[in-house]
Amino acid sequence: LLLLSPLTDEQVQANIAKGLLQDGIEGAYQVQNVSEMHSVGFDFGFQGSAATGKLHYGVNVTEAFARRKEPGGTDQLLSLAPQTFGNARIAYDLPHGLPTVALALRWVGRRPTDVYSPPGSEDANPSFGKSSGEARLTLSGAVPGISGLSYRLTGNYVTAKRSLYSAHSGSLRNGGHEFIPNDQLRFGAGLQYDFWR
């Protein structure tokens, strides 16, 4: 397994001396082998239909306890990976050529940010993001009078104001990062044409 890992100050200076990095760089990352990865958990899913196939529903829940151990390092959580997450969805095909209405809900538990490093390490930054939810409402159906053409309208809302991905500005060791804002409310529209039906 290959993962992106930060280089120590000594490694950065050694690579600057070799001409592999530009002078003045405060931090760098390298793709490195991970010696061990442990993950245990469960996944539960249920789906079905009713009303002679017009109503569809489903739910999924996952619990995953995953840790990685770098060569010579300690166990740590996986950045950005939630331990608990799930979704629920329901859709109904309205009669008389009206659209299909669908609602999907997603929940993601507390998880480490992309600058997480375990407590006790040289660059300890045990930064965690809060649990977040997302809801998406969709209307979809065939465009009347045009065979093969369909449409989809979506509205999406995310509870988290900021993502767990950061924009770096300076050294991470000095806290030089800022989390990227989420587009909390978003609308979309699309058309699809099927040439072969």
Side-chain angles (χ1 to χ4, degrees):
L1 180 64
L2 299 174
L3 289 176
L4 198 63
S5 300
L7 298 179
T8 65
D9 288 335
E10 294 78 18
Q11 291 171 324
V12 169
Q13 293 305 318
N15 281 288
I16 289 173
K18 293 177 185 176
L20 298 175
L21 292 173
Q22 291 180 350
D23 193 19
I25 288 179
E26 295 181 10
Y29 289 85
Q30 181 182 47
V31 176
Q32 296 179 350
N33 288 319
V34 174
S35 58
E36 294 180 7
M37 179 76 73
H38 299 277
S39 181
V40 62
F42 71 86
D43 181 57
F44 167 81
F46 178 79
Q47 63 183 11
S49 64
T52 62
K54 292 186 177 298
L55 178 69
H56 303 272
Y57 53 86
V59 64
N60 285 87
V61 177
T62 299
E63 175 77 22
F65 184 83
R67 297 289 185 273
R68 82 177 194 205
K69 184 174 182 179
E70 298 179 3
T74 57
D75 289 346
Q76 63 177 299
L77 295 168
L78 303 181
S79 296
L80 305 170
Q83 293 186 65
T84 306
F85 56 96
N87 66 71
R89 60 233 179 251
I90 188 168
Y92 186 74
D93 297 326
L94 295 173
H96 311 300
L98 293 172
T100 297
V101 181
L103 176 65
L105 304 173
R106 184 172 73 114
W107 180 80
V108 179
R110 180 177 176 266
R111 61 199 192 277
T113 67
D114 69 339
V115 293
Y116 171 83
S117 56
S121 66
E122 180 184 343
D123 303 320
N125 183 13
S127 178
F128 281 82
K130 296 178 182 178
S131 300
S132 65
E134 183 175 354
R136 175 177 290 184
L137 180 65
T138 303
L139 299 176
S140 59
V143 175
I146 306 177
S147 179
L149 185 63
S150 61
Y151 66 89
R152 176 170 291 186
L153 305 173
T154 60
N156 204 77
Y157 176 72
V158 181
T159 61
K161 293 182 179 179
R162 297 191 175 275
S163 77
L164 301 186
Y165 292 93
S166 59
H168 303 295
S169 56
S171 172
L172 293 182
R173 295 173 182 82
N174 298 325
H177 60 271
E178 181 178 347
F179 294 105
I180 299 169
N182 273 333
D183 188 5
Q184 284 188 273
L185 185 61
R186 187 172 61 246
F187 298 97
L191 291 173
Q192 176 178 316
Y193 186 78
D194 294 326
F195 291 94
W196 296 278
R197 291 174 58 93

